[in-house]
Amino acid sequence: VQHCTNGQDALDATYNGKFDLYLLDVNVPLIDGMKLLYELRSANDETPTIFLTSHKDKEMLKAGFTNGADDYITKPFDYDEVLKAIELRMAKRQKLLSASESGFKALLDSTLTGIFIYQNDTITFTNSKLLKIFGCSREELISSNLFGFIHKNDRELVQEKMRRCLKGILSSFNVSFRARRKDGENLNLDCWGALSQINGRDALIANVINVNEYSSVAFQKQAAGDAGSAYLQQKLAAAS
């Protein structure tokens, strides 16, 4: 929980971190709550927002709902009321996120390339094509964090590319590396990915091509187009 005493500090905080919910007072110094919400929504920040307001501010709240407010609580209020409103908003948001994420992951699972999502220093999703490439189960791939399958001489290069992308130094990355299937077969893989946001947090969405299987450059480009990775990244970000 982060407390800000004025609207400018609150706006700055949103640039420096991610939040699950905003609890805004309408009448605060520097930037009022209404203007703050307008700035947030203009920046495509769809974080659930609850206003705290006095009865005389109800007319102003009409504009707030137009700008994207989710709920409001009138003063004076008790903390149980606030907690109940927060829990309700968070539950609704989680339900929407779960429905959207399951749909998009089903779409990811139907592509011609292997796809994985890397977030919070771990693999959080792999599609069936990636499992086929490595010849292992989802649990085995996630437990090794993918890096266990990569040739030891190429592992640091892949990790560094992904780290630089997560830090925002690179907007996207592409790396070719050697790996080994669970059954011992050697692989030559090409991986490209980009930074996105899922559930309001930074994540990498990456595609993997088995060069042994698809040596044709034209086919790789076709597969990349079919995967529609830029489209999928935008959709997953919208669900966050």
mmCIF file of all heavy atoms in Angstrom, residues 101 105 116-126 138 142 145 198 203-204:
data_model
loop_
_atom_site.group_PDB
_atom_site.id
_atom_site.type_symbol
_atom_site.label_atom_id
_atom_site.label_comp_id
_atom_site.label_asym_id
_atom_site.label_seq_id
_atom_site.Cartn_x
_atom_site.Cartn_y
_atom_site.Cartn_z
ATOM 1 N N GLU A 101 -7.521 -14.098 -19.864
ATOM 2 C CA GLU A 101 -6.230 -14.774 -19.967
ATOM 3 C C GLU A 101 -6.389 -16.201 -20.475
ATOM 4 O O GLU A 101 -5.599 -16.669 -21.299
ATOM 5 C CB GLU A 101 -5.547 -14.766 -18.599
ATOM 6 C CG GLU A 101 -4.121 -15.271 -18.654
ATOM 7 C CD GLU A 101 -3.405 -15.095 -17.334
ATOM 8 O OE1 GLU A 101 -3.888 -14.325 -16.492
ATOM 9 O OE2 GLU A 101 -2.358 -15.747 -17.166
ATOM 10 N N LYS A 105 -4.614 -17.518 -23.869
ATOM 11 C CA LYS A 105 -3.671 -18.624 -23.790
ATOM 12 C C LYS A 105 -4.116 -19.783 -24.679
ATOM 13 O O LYS A 105 -3.285 -20.506 -25.235
ATOM 14 C CB LYS A 105 -3.494 -19.068 -22.339
ATOM 15 C CG LYS A 105 -2.636 -18.088 -21.545
ATOM 16 C CD LYS A 105 -2.388 -18.541 -20.128
ATOM 17 C CE LYS A 105 -1.438 -17.597 -19.411
ATOM 18 N NZ LYS A 105 -1.192 -17.979 -18.003
ATOM 19 N N PHE A 116 6.448 -19.143 -25.027
ATOM 20 C CA PHE A 116 6.466 -19.155 -23.573
ATOM 21 C C PHE A 116 6.307 -17.736 -23.044
ATOM 22 O O PHE A 116 6.612 -16.759 -23.735
ATOM 23 C CB PHE A 116 7.733 -19.816 -23.013
ATOM 24 C CG PHE A 116 9.012 -19.061 -23.270
ATOM 25 C CD1 PHE A 116 9.455 -18.068 -22.400
ATOM 26 C CD2 PHE A 116 9.799 -19.372 -24.369
ATOM 27 C CE1 PHE A 116 10.645 -17.391 -22.622
ATOM 28 C CE2 PHE A 116 10.993 -18.704 -24.610
ATOM 29 C CZ PHE A 116 11.423 -17.712 -23.736
ATOM 30 N N ILE A 117 5.808 -17.620 -21.821
ATOM 31 C CA ILE A 117 5.688 -16.344 -21.120
ATOM 32 C C ILE A 117 6.606 -16.407 -19.909
ATOM 33 O O ILE A 117 6.559 -17.362 -19.132
ATOM 34 C CB ILE A 117 4.246 -16.070 -20.682
ATOM 35 C CG1 ILE A 117 3.339 -15.926 -21.910
ATOM 36 C CG2 ILE A 117 4.168 -14.794 -19.830
ATOM 37 C CD1 ILE A 117 1.861 -15.796 -21.576
ATOM 38 N N TYR A 118 7.470 -15.399 -19.781
ATOM 39 C CA TYR A 118 8.440 -15.336 -18.683
ATOM 40 C C TYR A 118 8.121 -14.123 -17.830
ATOM 41 O O TYR A 118 8.128 -12.997 -18.306
ATOM 42 C CB TYR A 118 9.849 -15.236 -19.256
ATOM 43 C CG TYR A 118 10.958 -15.350 -18.241
ATOM 44 C CD1 TYR A 118 11.341 -16.588 -17.740
ATOM 45 C CD2 TYR A 118 11.631 -14.218 -17.799
ATOM 46 C CE1 TYR A 118 12.373 -16.703 -16.821
ATOM 47 C CE2 TYR A 118 12.664 -14.322 -16.883
ATOM 48 C CZ TYR A 118 13.036 -15.564 -16.397
ATOM 49 O OH TYR A 118 14.053 -15.678 -15.479
ATOM 50 N N GLN A 119 7.822 -14.365 -16.556
ATOM 51 C CA GLN A 119 7.417 -13.275 -15.666
ATOM 52 C C GLN A 119 7.860 -13.599 -14.238
ATOM 53 O O GLN A 119 7.788 -14.752 -13.807
ATOM 54 C CB GLN A 119 5.896 -13.087 -15.719
ATOM 55 C CG GLN A 119 5.363 -11.875 -14.978
ATOM 56 C CD GLN A 119 3.860 -11.718 -15.165
ATOM 57 O OE1 GLN A 119 3.111 -12.674 -15.093
ATOM 58 N NE2 GLN A 119 3.424 -10.498 -15.434
ATOM 59 N N ASN A 120 8.314 -12.578 -13.526
ATOM 60 C CA ASN A 120 8.767 -12.761 -12.140
ATOM 61 C C ASN A 120 9.838 -13.851 -12.031
ATOM 62 O O ASN A 120 9.816 -14.698 -11.133
ATOM 63 C CB ASN A 120 7.581 -13.102 -11.227
ATOM 64 C CG ASN A 120 6.542 -11.988 -11.188
ATOM 65 O OD1 ASN A 120 6.879 -10.815 -11.271
ATOM 66 N ND2 ASN A 120 5.282 -12.368 -11.079
ATOM 67 N N ASP A 121 10.770 -13.821 -12.982
ATOM 68 C CA ASP A 121 11.924 -14.732 -12.983
ATOM 69 C C ASP A 121 11.553 -16.201 -13.146
ATOM 70 O O ASP A 121 12.302 -17.092 -12.702
ATOM 71 C CB ASP A 121 12.745 -14.565 -11.699
ATOM 72 C CG ASP A 121 13.327 -13.171 -11.566
ATOM 73 O OD1 ASP A 121 13.749 -12.618 -12.584
ATOM 74 O OD2 ASP A 121 13.343 -12.637 -10.431
ATOM 75 N N THR A 122 10.428 -16.475 -13.767
ATOM 76 C CA THR A 122 10.061 -17.870 -13.994
ATOM 77 C C THR A 122 9.183 -18.000 -15.234
ATOM 78 O O THR A 122 8.575 -17.026 -15.686
ATOM 79 C CB THR A 122 9.320 -18.444 -12.768
ATOM 80 O OG1 THR A 122 9.169 -19.853 -12.918
ATOM 81 C CG2 THR A 122 7.952 -17.812 -12.608
ATOM 82 N N ILE A 123 9.142 -19.191 -15.798
ATOM 83 C CA ILE A 123 8.231 -19.486 -16.906
ATOM 84 C C ILE A 123 6.832 -19.664 -16.322
ATOM 85 O O ILE A 123 6.622 -20.508 -15.458
ATOM 86 C CB ILE A 123 8.656 -20.765 -17.647
ATOM 87 C CG1 ILE A 123 10.086 -20.637 -18.205
ATOM 88 C CG2 ILE A 123 7.660 -21.094 -18.763
ATOM 89 C CD1 ILE A 123 10.233 -19.659 -19.326
ATOM 90 N N THR A 124 5.882 -18.871 -16.785
ATOM 91 C CA THR A 124 4.513 -18.969 -16.273
ATOM 92 C C THR A 124 3.559 -19.637 -17.257
ATOM 93 O O THR A 124 2.460 -20.036 -16.875
ATOM 94 C CB THR A 124 3.960 -17.577 -15.925
ATOM 95 O OG1 THR A 124 3.955 -16.755 -17.112
ATOM 96 C CG2 THR A 124 4.815 -16.902 -14.851
ATOM 97 N N PHE A 125 3.986 -19.764 -18.520
ATOM 98 C CA PHE A 125 3.132 -20.419 -19.516
ATOM 99 C C PHE A 125 3.990 -20.972 -20.638
ATOM 100 O O PHE A 125 4.973 -20.350 -21.065
ATOM 101 C CB PHE A 125 2.117 -19.431 -20.100
ATOM 102 C CG PHE A 125 1.359 -19.986 -21.282
ATOM 103 C CD1 PHE A 125 0.276 -20.824 -21.095
ATOM 104 C CD2 PHE A 125 1.748 -19.684 -22.585
ATOM 105 C CE1 PHE A 125 -0.419 -21.354 -22.175
ATOM 106 C CE2 PHE A 125 1.071 -20.208 -23.674
ATOM 107 C CZ PHE A 125 -0.022 -21.038 -23.462
ATOM 108 N N THR A 126 3.637 -22.160 -21.124
ATOM 109 C CA THR A 126 4.228 -22.725 -22.333
ATOM 110 C C THR A 126 3.098 -23.320 -23.161
ATOM 111 O O THR A 126 2.157 -23.893 -22.616
ATOM 112 C CB THR A 126 5.236 -23.844 -22.005
ATOM 113 O OG1 THR A 126 4.541 -24.932 -21.381
ATOM 114 C CG2 THR A 126 6.338 -23.348 -21.092
ATOM 115 N N ARG A 138 4.999 -30.026 -19.355
ATOM 116 C CA ARG A 138 4.987 -28.623 -18.927
ATOM 117 C C ARG A 138 5.687 -28.464 -17.576
ATOM 118 O O ARG A 138 6.441 -27.516 -17.362
ATOM 119 C CB ARG A 138 3.543 -28.114 -18.869
ATOM 120 C CG ARG A 138 3.422 -26.653 -18.476
ATOM 121 C CD ARG A 138 2.017 -26.121 -18.686
ATOM 122 N NE ARG A 138 1.777 -25.761 -20.088
ATOM 123 C CZ ARG A 138 1.049 -26.483 -20.925
ATOM 124 N NH1 ARG A 138 0.480 -27.607 -20.529
ATOM 125 N NH2 ARG A 138 0.876 -26.098 -22.181
ATOM 126 N N ILE A 142 8.946 -26.048 -16.908
ATOM 127 C CA ILE A 142 8.832 -24.945 -15.950
ATOM 128 C C ILE A 142 9.811 -25.132 -14.801
ATOM 129 O O ILE A 142 10.444 -24.172 -14.344
ATOM 130 C CB ILE A 142 7.387 -24.821 -15.427
ATOM 131 C CG1 ILE A 142 6.473 -24.312 -16.561
ATOM 132 C CG2 ILE A 142 7.308 -23.887 -14.224
ATOM 133 C CD1 ILE A 142 5.009 -24.236 -16.181
ATOM 134 N N ASN A 145 13.012 -24.015 -15.711
ATOM 135 C CA ASN A 145 12.952 -22.611 -16.138
ATOM 136 C C ASN A 145 13.476 -22.435 -17.558
ATOM 137 O O ASN A 145 14.041 -21.384 -17.885
ATOM 138 C CB ASN A 145 13.717 -21.713 -15.169
ATOM 139 C CG ASN A 145 12.930 -20.460 -14.821
ATOM 140 O OD1 ASN A 145 11.773 -20.317 -15.208
ATOM 141 N ND2 ASN A 145 13.550 -19.547 -14.104
ATOM 142 N N ILE A 198 1.315 -8.323 -18.362
ATOM 143 C CA ILE A 198 0.251 -9.265 -18.059
ATOM 144 C C ILE A 198 -0.135 -9.077 -16.605
ATOM 145 O O ILE A 198 0.722 -9.074 -15.722
ATOM 146 C CB ILE A 198 0.698 -10.715 -18.316
ATOM 147 C CG1 ILE A 198 1.104 -10.897 -19.787
ATOM 148 C CG2 ILE A 198 -0.398 -11.701 -17.940
ATOM 149 C CD1 ILE A 198 1.650 -12.254 -20.120
ATOM 150 N N ALA A 203 6.320 -8.645 -18.463
ATOM 151 C CA ALA A 203 6.495 -10.054 -18.832
ATOM 152 C C ALA A 203 7.080 -10.118 -20.240
ATOM 153 O O ALA A 203 6.902 -9.202 -21.046
ATOM 154 C CB ALA A 203 5.165 -10.788 -18.785
ATOM 155 N N LEU A 204 7.793 -11.185 -20.511
ATOM 156 C CA LEU A 204 8.282 -11.451 -21.862
ATOM 157 C C LEU A 204 7.385 -12.486 -22.521
ATOM 158 O O LEU A 204 7.076 -13.512 -21.920
ATOM 159 C CB LEU A 204 9.712 -11.981 -21.822
ATOM 160 C CG LEU A 204 10.826 -11.034 -21.410
ATOM 161 C CD1 LEU A 204 12.168 -11.768 -21.465
ATOM 162 C CD2 LEU A 204 10.869 -9.800 -22.297
#
